[in-house]
Amino acid sequence: MQLTGERPAAGQRRLSRAGRQRLLYALLAAPGFLLLAIVFAYPLVDLMRLSIENGTLAHYEEVFSGGLYVGVFWNTVRIAGLVTLLCAVLGYPVAHFLATAPRGWALFGLLCVVLPFWTSLLVRTYAWMILLGNNGIINKLLVSTGLIQKPLPLLHNEFGVVVGMVHVLLPYFVFPVYAVMLRVDRNLMAAAEGLGAPMWQVLRRIYLPLTMPGVVAGATLVFILALGFFITPALLGGGKVMMVALLIEQQVAQMLNWGLASALCMVLVAAILVSYAAIKQLGRSRTA
Amino acid sequence: MTARRRGSRGRRAARITLYAWSGLVFLFLLLPLVVVFPISFSDSAYLQFPPPRYSLRWYREFLADPNWLDATWRSVKIGCVTAVAATILGTLLAISLVRGTYPGKGLLEQFVMAPIALPSIVYSVAAYKLFSTFQLVGSWQGIAVAHTIHALPLVVLVVGASLRTVDIATEMAAQGLGASWFTALRRITLPQIRPALVSAAFIAFISSFDELVIAMFLGGINMTLPKKMFDSILFEIDPTIAAVSVLQIALVVIVLLVIGRFGSGVRPAA
């Protein structure tokens, strides 16, 4: 009797403690949230305001009317798409290797993906310049073996930019696909094989659909990151390959044309949001 | 019998193809990291491969140039401030997002992750405008603040993933035994996620140490190491950059070893 008499009071205290705890958990987010609100969200809103200053859409009209800027956008989307496709073709088998190879080999493979991933972007870009230049290692090798007479144009063109971007972005594709592949039940493939399905059918009808969520996640990440790429195209393109990020930098740093630059920024962000939503929708309809 | 043998032969062929393909991709990934080593030890003033003679000339050049050293120390300083700030704020955010139950949590989570998806060129332009009104352009503190924004989602990802594996019951038990909420958090939960905190701090440091676009807008000439490297690559391809590159690769290897020893969850995005 005594015990039951005490219960409601104890329960009440616990409840109020839970309520206080909930508030404390919410308060923990406050410092980070405030920093993000002031130094991240506010400047972006300000940039948006700048793009429609004087209440007109003149800057957006400029972006969309001149064939020049639209052309740069299409070029960016095309290069990002190409890079994503190459990452998928190169990375899918590699992710499978990492998920299925014997432990030692898999660890070595992971190291091969992780090490470049953590290496400075500039170091890698510089190294590609050493490799791809007219007097670069690859051209010297090809000329000295007599395979070619003249150095191939590998640098300061789209080829160089794409190579450099694929090198930077490949790990972003491999990691999510690898994570999904680790969770695939191998028995399903064994069952399909046992029922007489040839290997490519097992791949096409079992493995590929099961690993699709990883492919979609990786491709989204690569495509979105590629849309905003700046350093690699700036250095490996040698000013001959125009992408949106370069255009924005040019408008701000050289032309001091803040209105147009902010409008370009907003269109780039919109393009990223639209592609994110579109790929997500595509992934959903595939798995459904 | 023959069908099965043909099947195993086909499987072996597929396996060999897979290994060869992966080997080529690994070569593609590692080649750029490897080529800078011989060049950095070259005796030649030009990019010659293979180098005619080997020496430590370009390392001495780097160590004797105050411009390179200033930029390096400034980058280390900014990286350390970023690592500390991002780890503290990010850990608080991660605890709040994983453990808390309050309205708007899903939205907050998306907001915290947004800096990853936003191209750094867009953020740099926006931050430049804000910072110029407060006369923070050209100050290392301004870069550190912007880098903290950049590193925050990475910390939340790493710490949050680790926090999800910690059993909340141990924390409840401590509270049941009379520990305050804060004591339970500090003495029960935080020690359990210490490896993730170490990883997060190093990841934040590296993300800041490598960052160029923000530093380009908010800094000035030769403000950070990446900016100095960018200019050198653009204007004078001499092997000093190769020496700097080798030092950077060495730094990353050391960081990865430290994370491997004391940290957890090296692979992000997975």
Side-chain angles (χ1 to χ4, degrees), chain A residues 17 21 25, chain B residues 98-99 163-181 184-185 187-189 192:
Chain A
R17 185 196 254 180
Q21 213 158 300
Y25 277 131
Chain B
V98 172
R99 292 281 164 83
L163 208 57
R164 276 191 196 92
T165 67
V166 173
D167 190 356
I168 197 167
T170 53
E171 205 179 297
M172 305 266 254
Q175 286 190 50
L177 291 168
S180 73
W181 169 78
L185 192 69
R187 299 197 38 190
I188 303 294
T189 307
Q192 290 189 71

Side-chain angles (χ1 to χ4, degrees), chain A residues 35 39, chain B residues 74 77-79 81-82 85 123 131 134-149 208 214 218-219 223-224:
Chain A
L35 185 76
V39 192
Chain B
R74 203 172 291 118
K77 191 163 64 181
I78 293 171
V81 171
T82 300
Y123 182 61
F131 283 33
F134 293 105
Q135 264 121 47
L136 274 169
V137 173
S139 75
W140 68 268
Q141 292 93 337
I143 300 178
V145 170
H147 280 182
T148 302
I149 298 287
S208 160
I214 292 172
L218 299 184
M223 190 70 176
T224 63

Side-chain angles (χ1 to χ4, degrees), chain A residues 21-22 24-25 28-29 33 39 46 90 93 96-97 102 109 118 120 122-123 127-130 167 193 258 272, chain B residues 11 18-19 21-22 28-29 32 39 92 96 99 101 108 119 123 128-129 171 175 181 210 226 233 248 252:
Chain A
Q21 213 158 300
R22 194 175 297 175
L24 285 172
Y25 277 131
L28 284 186
F33 173 77
V39 192
D46 206 32
L90 291 174
H96 180 64
F97 173 91
W118 285 112
S120 156
L122 280 164
V123 171
W128 280 115
M129 292 173 93
I130 297 174
H167 188 256
E193 251 177 85
W258 280 87
I272 284 170
Chain B
R11 197 179 300 158
L18 175 71
Y19 275 52
W21 186 265
S22 304
F28 166 72
L29 284 170
I39 293 202
L92 293 177
S96 175
R99 292 281 164 83
T101 44
L108 178 65
Y123 182 61
Y128 180 84
K129 200 164 169 293
E171 205 179 297
Q175 286 190 50
W181 169 78
D210 276 355
I233 292 174
Q248 281 212 339
V252 166

Side-chain angles (χ1 to χ4, degrees), chain A residues 39-106:
Chain A
V39 192
F40 179 73
Y42 171 72
L44 283 175
V45 173
D46 206 32
L47 197 67
M48 195 187 292
R49 217 172 47 203
L50 193 68
S51 73
I52 49 171
E53 87 192 311
N54 311 327
T56 68
L57 292 173
H59 297 308
Y60 289 95
E61 273 164 32
E62 198 181 345
V63 170
F64 287 111
S65 64
L68 178 67
Y69 302 133
V70 177
V72 171
F73 264 100
W74 278 124
N75 201 32
T76 309
V77 170
R78 189 175 53 77
I79 291 178
L82 182 62
V83 167
T84 308
L85 188 71
L86 284 169
C87 281
V89 171
L90 291 174
Y92 191 82
V94 169
H96 180 64
F97 173 91
L98 296 178
T100 57
R103 211 179 130 72
W105 283 108

Side-chain angles (χ1 to χ4, degrees), chain A residues 176-262:
Chain A
V177 178
Y178 166 69
V180 169
M181 281 176 173
L182 281 180
R183 290 198 297 267
V184 169
D185 188 354
R186 307 270 145 213
N187 289 328
L188 290 171
M189 271 100 75
E193 251 177 85
L195 292 168
M199 204 163 46
W200 65 273
Q201 283 279 15
V202 176
L203 177 71
R204 193 172 69 87
R205 297 178 61 167
I206 311 277
Y207 200 54
L208 211 53
L210 282 175
T211 51
M212 212 25 141
V215 173
V216 170
T220 312
L221 204 56
V222 170
F223 187 72
I224 284 174
L225 289 173
L227 283 181
F229 245 51
F230 174 71
I231 299 161
T232 312
L235 288 173
L236 296 180
K240 295 194 189 83
V241 181
M242 210 51 193
M243 287 179 76
V244 180
L246 295 172
L247 191 63
I248 293 171
E249 196 263 350
Q250 212 176 57
Q251 291 301 322
V252 173
Q254 291 166 36
M255 315 284 185
L256 300 173
N257 196 346
W258 280 87
L260 185 66
S262 52

